[in-house]
Each structure stands twice: as structure tokens, then as C-alpha cells.
Amino acid sequence: MRTRPLKVALLGCGVVGSEVARIMTTHADDLTARIGAPVELAGVAVRRPDRVREGIAPELVTTDATALVKRGDIDVVVEVIGGIEPARTLITTAFEHGASVVSANKALLAQDGAALHAAAEEHGRDLYYEAAVAGAIPLIRPLRESLAGDKINRVMGIVNGTTNFILDKMDSTGAGYQEALDEATALGYAEADPTADVEGFDAAAKAAILAAIAFHTRVRLDDVHREGMTEVTAADFASAKEMGCTIKLLAICERAEDGGSVTARVHPAMIPLSHPLASVRGAYNAVFVESDAAGQLMFYGPGAGGSPTASAVLGDIVAVCRNRIGGATGPGESAYAALPVSPMGDVVTRYHISLDVADKPGVLAQVATVFAEHGVSIDTVRQSGKDGEASLVVVTHRASDAALTGTVEALRKLDTVRGVASIMRVEGE
Amino acid sequence: MRTRPLKVALLGCGVVGSEVARIMTTHADDLTARIGAPVELAGVAVRRPDRVREGIAPELVTTDATALVKRGDIDVVVEVIGGIEPARTLITTAFEHGASVVSANKALLAQDGAALHAAAEEHGRDLYYEAAVAGAIPLIRPLRESLAGDKINRVMGIVNGTTNFILDKMDSTGAGYQEALDEATALGYAEADPTADVEGFDAAAKAAILAAIAFHTRVRLDDVHREGMTEVTAADFASAKEMGCTIKLLAICERAEDGGSVTARVHPAMIPLSHPLASVRGAYNAVFVESDAAGQLMFYGPGAGGSPTASAVLGDIVAVCRNRIGGATGPGESAYAALPVSPMGDVVTRYHISLDVADKPGVLAQVATVFAEHGVSIDTVRQSGKDGEASLVVVTHRASDAALTGTVEALRKLDTVRGVASIMRVEGE
């Protein structure tokens, strides 16, 4: 066994970083045995050096992250700062000075993954980021290694714990969105500004990363169609229950049926209660993968939190350290398929549409005609009404998003349609 | 990109082998891109060369497996023959002649994993076997790589599809064991001789492999306590339902609470309906992993079948080929922890015990005294009876298997206990 320790520099020492440091200390012997050499914390870059950091020697702490990654003796830089800058520059500088990088930064990888991979390859170093998607759940490694001999057709997952907590609460208690959000905030599941979660930005970044790996194609955050879940109502959950469904915020990465293009999207959707994703409760995450040979796989676990994320970071540290000792690098970016990313209009799925309509004869015929004119086939219609007001619930067969959008625009122009109460996609059937 | 193709020799061309060969042909371009070099089928060893093998060039087929692995130009030997011999000798010979090995052979790995790993290491080659446990579900790689920086405390899974199909059928229809087995046989889920599945041998081999990886300790098939599921009755399912449970055949690998030893066992057990494993239906497999930092993870998917198993084999082929090109090897055996494997008597869990007793005063007091004398604490007791016959259902708190066994022996000696109708462990709470 080699005895010179591998040196790890930690950028950021918040919830995740401090847990990484703690486990590196408490599990040092295990890590040494598993890596084949000791691994030591060589420096910790923080913004506020005066905060007490239990278990971290004060002389390791610095505010100069740039100097730390430029030291030249660092084997692995662990980036758990988050955000685009200074993380991007620090990672690039780390590669230039001979370090491999382990990152948990979904936003950066979704935006600049290709450039970062290129920098890693140029310098013969590793870029690993298991912790960037779905916390502790092993997902990046299974997708890019275990399924490397298979053809992945769909990745559909609950990849944001905050929104799953809120939706689960709405489902189980009948609460409205605001009430469920308030509870999530009070319990620490939602941040003071929940925008990144509830508007789907966080999930969209993860969708971009998953799609890129699954389809061997560059997919950036901008390629992901994104709809948040702030408009989901208690009435939507009641409609879902009537369909034998619940509502989840899903990240869906799909290969088109002809195989020639891919799509990536994040939006709330109804899924049948019998689908494995329907029973994912609270802040848990789960990702459902469909491939040609393996069939249907699901990966389930805690999607966030200091310890789970640290577990994923440490798995990557071990892998990167083993690679360094062996003089090798792990799999880098695989974008050879270079499939076009189609716009949302090309996505084909089913829809659940609630319309407020006039309660008079002929309305259903008018509405059905509009669907037919746009080539959207109707599966079921349910009509109910009294006192001159009525509602129509239409569930369609599979149709393109463009066709559905055209249908809805035309429906809004009908005198007898007073409003479109909700449109919800139906997935997982 | 290197252009000399990597050469793969296939040992066995049954359900899995023929699917591996098919995918290697149909996905050749993808495999080339992902590996960084073309990969070609260089030979296929079979027992019956006269059987038509669609898509495999006849000149590749041989009955001389030994000559094939000795050729010297083979990069990867894929062993999908199964059984101990000739598989063991062929794998060892393959290493001696410079090949890496991908195997799906759970029985062999559970019996001789250490020796095979040593042979691989001696010759600087890889031994990969993702397909040996739970078919297509990525499990070996996540356990030994993604969780390499974590401490795994428990691996509990449904790792045999045949028995899960039978138990699921009994649960959903109220059928008895034989009726459910007959249906499984008719549908092709059970083999003509189902012993390896229903007596738990198959699951025990997988438990040994999982325990070895999870605990960095050598665990062999002989170390695994094994009970089959042929004694599970419709009455047991009725009891389970009353408890809010179902019954599954579980493989359970645990670290003792003091961390100083491990256990591995396979037996039927009640688990609460709220546990993620309870909703694993039909022939699907799922493995639940609990670790210090990551918390609770679950991996779910098809546990058998030609295509799913081939997916796992191909993922390993890609990894091993990449390693060969990079002049590296992947992680080998990790047995540094060398924890003792404790006998079944040391396992601590809860128990559900049904007793047939005389319907007269004082029986419960007698029975409760026996439990107390053996240090087994009772959680609940339910008593019912008529016409001089009565039954007692006792659910215990956590107790060692040895204490429970002593309790049951003493109960059998009581005049008022006519028989012990069933003993079932309760897991996953």
C-alpha cells in the first residue's frame, strides 16, 4: 500500500462540506483501506473563517479558495459551494493545477457541463458529480456505467424533495398549495425563498444532467422545458383521485419513438397510484429508468440533506482517489450520440383538461369537434352541471404538446367555454 | 480511437448468452463509442453446437470452451454457464491466459469468490459480476463504488423472482403454496425442479455476495442461514394481514449493533405494508440498503430473464473493456474488515408466533412465564378459542434467535400447548 496520503481540498464548509470533513475523519481507516492509501483533508476554503468548525483544525481553514486550488499538491478538489461563480473558475483552475474534481453543483453542471468535462479531459483528470442529482441515490454511476451496454429510453423521476413534500402533504391532507408550503417552510423542507424548488429550476438542472448521461447527448438547462407546481390546486388532487392518480412534479427525459431526438421537461403531472413513483412520500426522491434490455428500474432514497449528499461525495472521492493511484481516469463526458433536443411541442403524452362551460345542449359536440379538428383523440369525457354552469373533464389519448396547445387556444375562443380550469399531463401509464 | 477490436469470448449461449450476443451485434456502434474501441464476438462455447443460433456466425461456435479461453487473444471472457464446474476452471484458465472475466454465476461466486478474486488480481485482470445478483438491477457497482465512502449497516432484499411471484400470488388470491407454485410453473416463472428457488439456495448465494461487498468481509454460502418458503401457508398470510403486514422471502445482511460482527440469512418474514419492499410485486426484485450517511436507499427492477441479465453483463463488458484500454483494473475484492460472521442464534429481530393451546384458565399465564424466563419480552398477545381449543398469537419485542428458540422448545413441553402452528420473523420496522 502506498503511504503518501492523497490530499483533498474542500471548497465550502456548510451542511454538506462539514459532513464530508466529519466522515473523512471518523471513517479514516475505512477510507484508507478502500482507497489503498490514506486520504487527508489538506485545506478548507470558507467565506466566514471565524465560524467555529468542529473537528476541523483551524490551520486548514482559509478564505483564499483560489490559492488553495493552485497549491499544486492537491489530488482532489471537492466543490460544495454551489452556484455558477466562483465555483466554475475554481474548478477550471483546479484542473489546470493537476487536481481531479468532485462536485455537487447541479446548476453549474447543467449549464457548463461540456466545458468542465473538456477541461478535465485536457488535463487528464476526473470530474465526478454523483451528489449533484438526487443526493445519496446512486444514479449517475448506474446510468453511465451499469447501463453502459443498454439503450435507455426514458428517465422519469421525482428529483426535488421540497416539492414532493408539498405535493404529498396536499395529497394526504387536502391542503392547498400555500398551506402545504408554509408547513414545508416551518419544518425546514423549504427555503425562505422557495423559487428554485417550486418553480422547477432545481429539478430542471437535474433533468439536464440525467438526459445528457442517459442519451449520450449534450443537454443544457436551457433545453429543458420547465413548469413549476405553484398552480396545482386541491381541486387538481380531487380530479387526480377520481382518475386513480396522484400528482407529482416530474423530471422526464425521453427518447422520441423514432429514436432520432430527445426531450427533457419538468412539470407537475398525474401518475397512476399503481406506479412505483406514486408511493414516494415526503422529501424522498426516486428515479424510474426504462431501457431496452434491463426493462424498468427504480432508484429510491433521500434526495437531499447533509449526510446523504456527503455519502455521494465520499463515494466519488474514493473513486477519484483510486483512479489517481492507478494512473487512470474514469469515464468522462459521453456525447457521441449528439441527438437533437426537440422542443416541448414535440412531446407526446396524455392530458387531463377541466373546462368551465355553459350548461346547454350542444356544448359537448362543439368541444369534441375542436379536439377532432386538432387531431387530439378523446379517451373519456365527464360532464356535470347545474344552474346554467357546468364543467367538462376531458382525458385525451396520446397527442403532441403542440396539438394540445392548439386545441386549448381554440377552446378558449368558443362562446360556450367560460374558462379552462386546468390542464394536467398524465404520465406513467 | 483505437481500432483493433477488443475480443469477447462467450461461454454458454442459452437465454442470457444469446441475448448478450444479439445486443453486441445490434448495438455495436453504441458499444464502440462508449468503450472507445470496437468490440467483437470472437468465439462462443456451447454444449450442443447443432442447435441453430440466430445471428451468430457458425464458425464462431465451438464445443471446446477450454481451447477458447486459452487462445491468448481474448480480452474478455463472459461466463454464463452457471454451476461450479467447469465454470470455475474456465474462469481461472481465462485469467491465466490474460483475459478479464464477466460472470453471472452467483453459486460459484458465493462459494469461491475469494479464490477467483485472487486469481484475477494475480494476473492483473478484472472480475465483474453485476449480473450475479438481482439481474438488471445495478447493485454490485452502487454498493462497492457509490457507497464506498459510507458505512453500510443493513442490506435487505427480495432477490429471487420465482418465490416473490409465488408469495405475491398467495397474498393477492389467498391461494395455498402448492397452488401458487403450480401457477408459477405453468407461466414459466418456476423451473420444473424449483428447489433452488423455493428452498432459498439461490437467494442465499446472493446474500453471501451482497454481504461480502457491503461489509468488506468474506462471506460464503455456508455462512448464510437459509430457510425456504415451502411451509408458508394461507393462514400465515391471514395472520400477516391482521398485523398490517405481508410475507416476503428476504435476504438480510446485517452488521451487529456493536459493529463487531455481521450476519447473513434468508427466510420468509412478515414486513409492514408501509415498507417499500412490501409493494414489490410479481417476479420483480428489490434491495433495500441502510447506511450511516446515505440513510435508506432502494434499488428495484427485474431480477431475472435473458434481456435484463444481458443488460447487466453488457454494462460489465463495457467497464472491463474501458479498463483494458486504459491499462487499469477496477476495484477488486475488498475484505479488509474481516469481520466475524455470527451464527443465526445471535440474530436479533421480532417474532410472530401462533400456538394451539388448551382453552382453559391459566394458559396465558403459563405461556407468558416461559417467554419471561427466556428473556423474550412480549409486545402483544391475542387469544381466541372455542370448544376447548384455542389459539394464542404472540408478537415479541426484539430478541435473539437463540432466546426465541429456547422459548419455543420450552413452550412445546407445556401440557397446555398442543402445538406451535407457526413462527415467523417480523422485519422492516
Side-chain angles (χ1 to χ4, degrees), chain B residues 92-385:
Chain B
T92 312
T93 310
F95 290 134
E96 288 164 0
H97 290 79
S100 286
V101 173
V102 173
S103 172
N105 193 330
K106 54 196 160 273
L108 177 57
L109 283 153
Q111 182 176 310
D112 288 318
L116 296 176
H117 273 295
E121 191 173 354
E122 182 189 341
H123 297 284
R125 292 294 178 257
D126 277 324
L127 171 63
Y128 275 49
Y129 45 91
E130 183 67 76
V133 182
I137 310 175
L139 205 52
I140 307 284
R141 190 174 275 104
L143 285 179
R144 77 175 178 181
E145 299 185 41
S146 305
L147 291 168
D150 206 337
K151 184 179 175 191
I152 297 170
N153 295 312
R154 179 183 286 121
V155 178
M156 177 163 83
I158 295 165
V159 294
N160 180 275
T162 303
T163 48
N164 200 57
F165 180 91
I166 295 169
L167 291 169
D168 186 19
K169 190 57 67 179
M170 291 173 73
D171 185 43
S172 57
T173 67
Y177 165 70
Q178 190 59 49
E179 188 187 338
L181 171 62
D182 290 346
E183 184 172 348
T185 310
L187 292 172
Y189 287 111
E191 294 182 48
D193 176 1
T195 308
D197 294 317
V198 301
E199 295 295 354
F201 290 99
D202 174 84
K206 294 165 180 169
I209 295 170
L210 291 174
I213 295 172
F215 304 133
H216 300 269
T217 287
R218 283 185 185 154
V219 181
R220 301 181 69 225
L221 181 57
D222 296 345
D223 298 318
V224 182
H225 174 84
R226 179 191 52 75
E227 298 173 27
M229 44 70 75
T230 60
E231 312 279 309
V232 177
T233 64
D236 290 328
F237 272 100
S239 299
K241 282 210 169 82
E242 282 173 15
M243 296 261 301
C245 287
T246 186
I247 298 171
K248 297 290 187 188
L249 183 72
L250 297 178
I252 305 175
C253 313
E254 281 179 322
R255 192 186 292 275
E257 275 171 34
D258 68 2
S261 63
V262 298
T263 54
R265 52 193 164 114
V266 168
H267 55 69
M270 294 185 184
I271 55 167
L273 293 174
S274 58
H275 194 283
L277 288 176
S279 53
V280 176
R281 300 276 167 228
Y284 272 80
N285 282 196
V287 176
F288 200 76
V289 178
E290 294 177 49
S291 72
D292 264 6
Q296 301 185 322
L297 303 172
M298 191 173 81
F299 305 81
Y300 166 97
S307 288
T309 309
S311 171
V313 167
L314 279 153
D316 281 352
I317 291 175
V318 171
V320 168
C321 287
R322 281 176 174 163
N323 289 345
R324 290 207 67 130
I325 293 174
T329 52
E333 186 189 30
S334 175
Y336 73 91
L339 295 167
V341 184
S342 298
M344 188 63 190
D346 289 1
V347 166
V348 173
T349 187
R350 296 178 65 202
Y351 306 86
H352 177 285
I353 302 136
S354 293
L355 303 171
D356 296 324
V357 297
D359 187 14
K360 57 185 182 184
V363 173
L364 176 54
Q366 276 191 321
V367 166
T369 302
V370 169
F371 276 88
E373 284 171 353
H374 290 82
V376 179
S377 174
I378 291 175
D379 180 14
T380 60
V381 180
R382 192 161 39 76
Q383 207 170 180
S384 59

Side-chain angles (χ1 to χ4, degrees), chain A residues 19 23 27 29-31 33-34 130 136-139 141-142 144-152 214 216 255 276 279 284 288 291-302 307-312 314-316 318-319 322 326-328 331 334 336-337, chain B residues 19 23 27 29-31 33-34 130 136-139 141-142 144-152 214 216 255 276 279 284 288 291-302 307-312 314-316 318-319 322 326-328 331 334 336-337:
Chain A
E19 188 65 8
I23 297 175
H27 289 37
D29 291 347
D30 282 317
L31 292 171
R34 296 175 194 180
E130 183 68 77
I137 310 175
L139 204 54
R141 190 175 274 103
R144 77 175 179 182
E145 300 185 42
S146 305
L147 291 168
D150 206 337
K151 184 180 175 189
I152 297 171
H216 300 270
R255 192 187 292 276
S279 52
Y284 270 82
F288 199 76
S291 72
D292 264 6
Q296 301 184 322
L297 304 171
M298 193 173 79
F299 304 82
Y300 165 98
S307 288
T309 309
S311 170
L314 279 153
D316 280 352
V318 170
R322 280 175 174 164
S334 176
Y336 72 90
Chain B
E19 187 66 7
I23 297 175
H27 289 37
D29 291 347
D30 282 317
L31 292 171
R34 295 175 193 180
E130 183 67 76
I137 310 175
L139 205 52
R141 190 174 275 104
R144 77 175 178 181
E145 299 185 41
S146 305
L147 291 168
D150 206 337
K151 184 179 175 191
I152 297 170
H216 300 269
R255 192 186 292 275
S279 53
Y284 272 80
F288 200 76
S291 72
D292 264 6
Q296 301 185 322
L297 303 172
M298 191 173 81
F299 305 81
Y300 166 97
S307 288
T309 309
S311 171
L314 279 153
D316 281 352
V318 171
R322 281 176 174 163
S334 175
Y336 73 91

Side-chain angles (χ1 to χ4, degrees), chain B residues 69-92:
Chain B
V69 301
K70 281 185 173 175
R71 262 173 50 173
D73 65 336
I74 303 295
D75 296 286
V76 186
V77 167
V78 175
E79 184 271 303
V80 285
I81 305 172
I84 304 302
E85 285 294 354
R88 177 170 52 194
T89 302
L90 289 169
I91 289 175
T92 312

